[in-house]
Amino acid sequence: MTQQYPTVEQTIGNTPLVRLQRIPGSDDRGNVILAKLEGNNPAGSVKDRPALSMIRHAEARGDIRPGDTLIEATSGNTGIALAMTAAMRGYRMILIMPDNLSLERRAAMTAYGAELILTPASQGGMEYARDLAMKMQAEGKGRVLDQFANPDNPLAHVEGTGPEIWSQTGGQVTHFVSAMGTTGTIMGVSQYLKSQNSDVRVVGAQPAEGAQIPGIRKWPEAYLPSIFDAQRIDQVESIGQQEAEDMVRRLAAEEGIFAGVSSGGALVAALRVAQQVRNATIVFIVCDRGDRYLSTGVFNPR
């Protein structure tokens, strides 16, 4: 019999769920805090899931076909994931990103063969990038997948991340915590987990006033992702920049989990939840790896 080997895209998903051992230290409340390690995906983040989902479903509908040009506004991880998926499936990829984001993310996108357009953060950051993507589509320069409005984004988590968490916890998950950016992860996982047990509490992490945390956003009303449904979230925690950065350094130094700053923010929210409940199984998303933030200095010795 011929040996069967997986392709790269077949390794997306089925990421580990691991128990924290030293954070928050000895817990007399009986809670368990579990980290879903999405940095183990092949392009290094949770966004591998919706990137593949959006392209595969668009292909199935006949909206796109290999050889076409795809366009997307991104703050980093979705762009890297789309660049990888486009390379695997034969698309030209144009990515539009604010120029104040990390050098590692830019380099990863171009390594996969994507064309990168940097927009001045001073002109509006992601909002400006999103507007430019739609303008380029209107001019016939390519097809925008639009992670902010595309139902195939949260569908990836209804079909993958949510069922994995349910299975890995044996249905014991009581709380799910995620940073909120495009909101695809928290929307899809919430939909699935609440379909299994309506008592599961879903907690979102948003940036506090003035905080600049990669991967966590609080959108102006006009740019709120249309995939977002506030009714799917039970609680929102505002996360300060310093506490997110401090926590992600602790996550690496005390747990051996090297992650991006948004994961520190999600853990801050998870620990707040842990102080409010007993005998809970709290799952939070570690959405990417820390190595794509080294140039920001966040991991420099303090």
Side-chain angles (χ1 to χ4, degrees), residues 73-76 96-98 100-101 119 121 124-132 147-148 182 217 219 223:
T74 176
S75 62
I96 306 170
M97 188 173 86
N100 62 339
L101 298 170
T119 61
M126 274 302 297
E127 290 83 357
Y128 179 85
R130 287 171 63 180
D131 289 342
L132 179 58
Q147 60 180 316
F148 306 97
T182 63
R217 286 296 308 265
W219 296 98
Y223 289 88

Side-chain angles (χ1 to χ4, degrees), residues 148 180 182-183 186-187 206 224-231 233:
F148 306 97
M180 293 168 61
T182 63
T183 71
I186 199 167
M187 289 294 102
Q206 281 193 340
L224 193 67
S226 62
I227 59 172
F228 177 69
D229 178 358
Q231 293 184 326
I233 299 176

Side-chain angles (χ1 to χ4, degrees), residues 35-39 44 77 214 244-245 247-253 255-267 284-294 296 298-299:
K36 183 74 164 148
L37 302 184
E38 290 299 301
N77 284 331
E245 293 179 356
M247 187 58 72
V248 81
R249 287 190 288 270
R250 287 187 63 191
L251 195 54
E255 295 286 349
I257 298 174
F258 188 31
V261 184
S262 66
S263 303
L267 179 51
F284 76 100
I285 292 284
V286 176
C287 69
D288 63 1
R289 298 191 297 248
D291 51 8
R292 58 187 51 165
Y293 302 91
L294 289 172
T296 68
V298 69
F299 294 105

